[in-house]
DNA sequence: ATGCAATGTCACCGCATGGTGATATGGTGT
DNA sequence: ACACCATATCACCATGCGGTGACATTGCAT
């Protein structure tokens, strides 16, 4: 038995993610996490105060949500595009980033059912990130030559489309088909991407 | 104490819905449902075999999912429209019908996290309903004069858009704002509907 | 009215959960 | 070497869960 507070804390935080990944949200609890960390559960209360606080620590530690620079590593490239192409590209990247994060998806699904430390924390990160992204996109737009797309409600349009891709990413975890689209195959997702292209392109013509 | 099998079964089935509505999915269990029905939980096992089967009975009893004739009570009106208007209208109706069903939304959210009697049954109903709807829409289209919209991937487009509205309906239960859209106000939803109009109209021009 | 199956009640089991107090053991400064 | 405090362990509690067997009551056919 080695005694090292920091290491134990880290083990606990890591264990939350592992349990979440292994057995899903329903298995995430004091006993399971402590067992997984190979540590007594009482340490959760000693070091984090409560289980919720531990969850919160985990939510802050991992990169749950696609960061701005993950979505837009190349602002100068984007700024050379028209609004439609730019929005399309970012939506695609957003979807891809999301699908790469099984833990985020698990918590996002959770978020639709319960409000707890996890979901509230993710919510905060997401809101901040969304605002940042919108601001960024607006800045890019204002640098672009003004065109016929100015009076379009991009906020609402991206809301519907990003919500759609999020929902499909969530469903894909459990169910393979939605409305005839095969969510378990890349072909299905390409089909969806093409739809987004078509939809957004149509708006600007 | 009155003895009436049928009445007791009905009480149990009804209680599932009440518990689900009151405390959400996490409270749905043998004990809570039996208590709510004012009946001993052993009767669940006697009459339904298992708790899952009771849930299944409930899922089948309620009108969980918008029926075809709820979405399209007026096929002759729709058949007089162009494809774009028709798809738009049905999508709007679909959204409205969904938002009126808090229990369905609860189970749909549940569905993204767990597969159980409830969610699997709803899944079946939904699949059947979706197929029926798609077939119906296709029939309507074939009655319409052929136009430039023929080669469009309507399946994928309606998938994205309906998925988006579903996700937003789910989120609206817990969180009031998404990407700047106020999901707790009718104005927000009208904004979303207008986006759908714009998007679909754009595709066909 | 009587007998008996159908219906409903109750008490209990094993198990897992979140949470806590007393206790043992390791690391560290003197 | 010792003492001491932070660190970690263990045993335990109350509670709620799904599930089951033994028992009481009702209603109905004879």
């Amino acid at each position: 038995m080695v005694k090292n507070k920091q290491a134990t804390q880290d083990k606990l935080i890591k264990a939350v993610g592992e349990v979440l990944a292994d057995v899903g949200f329903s298995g995430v609890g004091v006993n399971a996490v402590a067992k997984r960390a190979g540590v007594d559960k009482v340490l959760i209360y000693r070091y984090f105060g409560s289980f919720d606080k531990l969850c919160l620590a985990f939510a802050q530690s991992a990169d749950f949500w696609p960061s701005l620079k993950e979505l837009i590593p190349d602002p100068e490239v984007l700024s050379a595009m028209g609004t439609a192409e730019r929005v399309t590209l970012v939506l695609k990247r957003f979807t891809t980033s999301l699908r790469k994060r099984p833990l985020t998806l698990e918590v996002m699904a959770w978020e639709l059912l319960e409000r707890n430390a996890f979901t509230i924390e993710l919510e905060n990160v997401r809101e901040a990130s969304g605002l940042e992204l919108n601001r960024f996109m607006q800045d890019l737009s204002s640098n672009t030559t003004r065109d016929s797309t100015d009076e379009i409600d991009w906020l609402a349009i991206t809301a519907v489309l990003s919500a759609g891709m999020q929902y499909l990413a969530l469903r894909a975890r459990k169910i393979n088909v939605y409305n005839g689209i095969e969510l378990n195959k890349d072909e299905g997702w390409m089909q969806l991407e093409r739809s987004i292209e078509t939809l957004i392109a149509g708006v600007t013509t």
Side-chain angles (χ1 to χ4, degrees), chain A:
Chain A
M1 175 177 66
V2 68
K3 300 204 172 189
N4 185 328
K5 183 172 178 177
Q6 187 61 50
T8 302
Q9 287 177 329
D10 292 347
K11 270 193 278 184
L12 281 170
I13 291 178
K14 195 174 152 219
V16 174
E18 292 172 353
V19 171
L20 196 59
D22 276 13
V23 295
F25 90 105
S26 61
V28 176
V30 173
N31 295 298
V33 168
K35 189 171 201 173
R36 177 88 195 199
V39 145
D40 198 277
K41 63 178 171 178
V42 79
L43 299 181
I44 292 175
Y45 299 101
R46 262 228 266 292
Y47 291 153
F48 297 92
S50 71
F51 186 66
D52 277 0
K53 300 247 188 74
L54 169 57
C55 290
L56 204 138
F58 170 67
Q60 288 167 338
S61 78
D63 69 329
F64 262 121
W65 199 250
S67 70
L68 183 58
K69 74 166 175 291
E70 179 176 345
L71 294 177
I72 309 182
D74 46 6
E76 67 290 348
V77 174
L78 288 200
S79 74
M81 296 177 167
T83 306
E85 293 89 340
R86 187 160 52 227
V87 172
T88 306
L89 181 57
V90 173
L91 267 174
K92 283 188 195 173
R93 285 184 183 166
F94 174 72
T95 307
T96 306
S97 293
L98 216 54
R99 292 217 294 142
K100 276 193 218 146
R101 287 175 165 79
L103 257 47
T104 303
L105 291 174
E106 180 78 23
V107 178
M108 279 178 63
W110 200 356
E111 189 179 24
L112 296 175
L113 276 170
E114 287 179 324
R115 290 188 71 72
N116 55 36
F118 247 129
T119 63
I120 290 172
E121 181 58 23
L122 175 59
E123 168 85 10
N124 293 338
V125 176
R126 177 217 305 265
E127 279 301 322
S129 176
L131 282 176
E132 200 185 16
L133 181 58
N134 276 327
R135 232 183 73 85
F136 207 89
M137 292 295 277
Q138 247 169 352
D139 286 356
L140 284 182
S141 281
S142 63
N143 294 340
T144 310
T145 312
R146 300 218 145 269
D147 54 22
S148 62
T149 71
D150 284 349
E151 73 287 353
I152 292 173
D153 187 352
W154 285 109
L155 219 56
I157 285 178
T158 55
V160 177
L161 296 180
S162 68
M165 297 308 264
Q166 281 182 59
Y167 183 68
L168 293 172
L170 287 175
R171 275 189 68 96
R173 304 173 334 126
K174 303 281 178 189
I175 302 148
N176 291 333
V177 175
Y178 179 83
N179 204 32
I181 311 294
E182 298 185 289
L183 300 178
N184 56 337
K185 299 186 183 160
D186 281 346
E187 170 53 25
W189 287 95
M190 289 173 61
Q191 219 178 326
L192 294 168
E193 287 194 350
R194 280 195 299 271
S195 297
I196 287 193
E197 284 170 23
T198 309
L199 285 167
I200 295 185
V203 165
T204 58
T205 54

